[in-house]
Amino acid sequence: MHVTVGKSTNSDARNAVAEALRTAGKPKLIIFISPYNILKDVAKIIKENYPEAISIGTSGTSYYETVASDKCLITMAFGDDGVYAAGIMRNLSSCPVADIGLMQDAIKKVGPEEGKTICMEYCTGHEERLVTTMNVELQSKKIPLIGGTVFGVPTGQTAYVACNGELFEDACCYVIIKNKTGHIRTYSENIYEVVPGSPKHIATKVNLENKELITLDGKPAADVYADELGISRGQVVDNVLQCPLGRIVGDEVFISSMYDIGKNGSLINYKRINENDTISILRLMDYNDVNARTREKIKGENGTINFVYSVNCIYRHLLFENEAYLGTFLSNMKSLGLHVGIVGGGEQYKRQHVNQTMVCAVFE
């Protein structure tokens, strides 16, 4: 599948679009990551300049080559060796299912084939509701979902996603992609583990609306966390990069990142934890070794890799920055082939919303 990646650091939207897409030819699909301050103009200009192409995008920090930047316009232009249909799912906070018909139409238009089709999306929040709604259609058609929550919006401003030249808040933009020349395979990378023999806890009281874990084993969640690790309650949130919470579902672990301590010692998280969930406090692994194994798996399962797209959690991004590893990580991803990534405030993968994870799609 042929993908042309463009880049511009020009602060003028029209000039930035022209520079980033100067070698794009006649794309059928354009996906873009823009600086927040020019997002509206970029979306509009792309639609004006490429009226026959469909487009989705958002703002945020992008990865390209070995550079991470929130001041750069990155464009991904897909050619005629794919079939594409984009759509929008609105009112994520209340009733996204009202737009499920648009997704049904998009899937039908593409004519999905297992192993060659994917749904890529950007959303502004309410991820659990979104993932559940989208999978009403995606799961039965065996279309994997990969996406990210918009992150890095300036304080006091609104998060937006763009679809075909228009901006939407409280929404998700998505595109169904079918590769006519090879497979599209998806991967997730978790650099945290359940240490054998470590305690398992039960979520005994939660507030789903604000993703609050109130008690574990009948005790304040922050105190259970602090006691197990031998730290004070005040150190709990700052320890999230080393030891996030893990929701155990069978043999799988889904990370939930805490970002605040609530009243009476509760933990406020980026991912919902349900009452009676089994929770473990995870430990950081050797992330360089984990990423090496991820890359070997990708290389072993794919033939000619034309493009790799990833969503890397902001907490992983911060960890890698703190450890002076971000440049190495980006070089490693580039070694697979042409790579573009975005930093997400959360990641959506198949049937789950996750935290502190990298998810990626590999296009043959």
Side-chain angles (χ1 to χ4, degrees), residues 267-278:
L267 291 176
I268 315 297
N269 306 294
Y270 284 115
K271 172 179 168 61
R272 282 183 179 176
I273 291 174
N274 302 306
E275 195 168 297
N276 295 320
D277 277 350
T278 300

Side-chain angles (χ1 to χ4, degrees), residues 271-301:
K271 172 179 168 61
R272 282 183 179 176
I273 291 174
N274 302 306
E275 195 168 297
N276 295 320
D277 277 350
T278 300
I279 304 298
S280 180
I281 300 173
L282 307 178
R283 306 304 196 272
L284 180 65
M285 293 189 284
D286 181 339
Y287 44 78
N288 190 56
D289 179 64
V290 172
N291 189 245
R293 284 186 272 121
T294 299
R295 299 194 314 276
E296 285 305 308
K297 181 177 175 65
I298 289 172
K299 287 186 282 189
E301 292 181 350

Side-chain angles (χ1 to χ4, degrees), residues 287 316-329:
Y287 44 78
R316 282 174 47 113
H317 178 86
L318 293 174
L319 172 69
F320 292 167
E321 279 193 327
N322 292 346
E323 301 278 321
Y325 179 74
L326 184 60
T328 300
F329 169 71

Side-chain angles (χ1 to χ4, degrees), residues 3-37:
V3 181
T4 301
V5 175
K7 170 184 176 180
S8 177
T9 57
N10 199 303
S11 59
D12 176 82
R14 193 165 297 277
N15 290 334
V17 169
E19 181 179 1
L21 289 168
R22 69 182 184 279
T23 62
K26 297 181 179 180
K28 302 295 184 181
L29 164 68
I30 299 169
I31 301 176
F32 63 92
I33 306 164
S34 168
Y36 182 85
N37 63 311

Side-chain angles (χ1 to χ4, degrees), residues 63 151 191-192 236-245 255-260 268-271 284 287 311-323 326 342-347 354-358:
Y63 295 154
F151 182 81
I191 57 175
Y192 299 89
V236 168
V237 170
D238 289 339
N239 204 51
V240 68
L241 299 185
Q242 300 294 321
C243 300
L245 300 174
I255 300 172
S256 181
S257 306
M258 59 279 191
Y259 66 89
D260 199 7
I268 315 297
N269 306 294
Y270 284 115
K271 172 179 168 61
L284 180 65
Y287 44 78
V311 182
N312 195 42
C313 182
I314 179 58
Y315 276 2
R316 282 174 47 113
H317 178 86
L318 293 174
L319 172 69
F320 292 167
E321 279 193 327
N322 292 346
E323 301 278 321
L326 184 60
I342 188 171
V343 176
E347 303 74 57
V354 294
N355 295 154
Q356 279 176 257
T357 303
M358 180 190 73

Side-chain angles (χ1 to χ4, degrees), residues 161-281:
V161 295
C163 183
N164 292 329
E166 294 185 63
L167 261 53
F168 300 85
E169 58 181 287
D170 190 22
C172 163
C173 65
Y174 61 86
V175 60
I176 311 295
I177 300 174
K178 182 170 76 173
N179 186 359
K180 296 193 294 185
T181 59
H183 287 84
I184 308 174
R185 295 183 174 93
T186 61
Y187 300 86
S188 67
E189 180 178 276
N190 175 12
I191 57 175
Y192 299 89
E193 67 178 340
V194 179
V195 175
S198 63
K200 303 293 193 300
H201 307 283
I202 301 298
T204 44
K205 188 175 182 181
V206 301
N207 181 337
L208 295 178
E209 191 60 33
N210 67 347
K211 303 181 182 180
E212 182 179 17
L213 175 60
I214 300 173
T215 61
L216 286 171
D217 307 328
K219 304 173 184 176
D223 292 344
V224 173
Y225 182 102
D227 290 346
E228 181 173 327
L229 296 184
I231 61 177
S232 68
R233 182 189 280 190
Q235 294 173 300
V236 168
V237 170
D238 289 339
N239 204 51
V240 68
L241 299 185
Q242 300 294 321
C243 300
L245 300 174
R247 178 173 175 253
I248 313 300
V249 182
D251 294 331
E252 296 185 284
V253 179
F254 301 103
I255 300 172
S256 181
S257 306
M258 59 279 191
Y259 66 89
D260 199 7
I261 295 180
K263 186 171 63 174
N264 299 321
S266 66
L267 291 176
I268 315 297
N269 306 294
Y270 284 115
K271 172 179 168 61
R272 282 183 179 176
I273 291 174
N274 302 306
E275 195 168 297
N276 295 320
D277 277 350
T278 300
I279 304 298
S280 180
I281 300 173

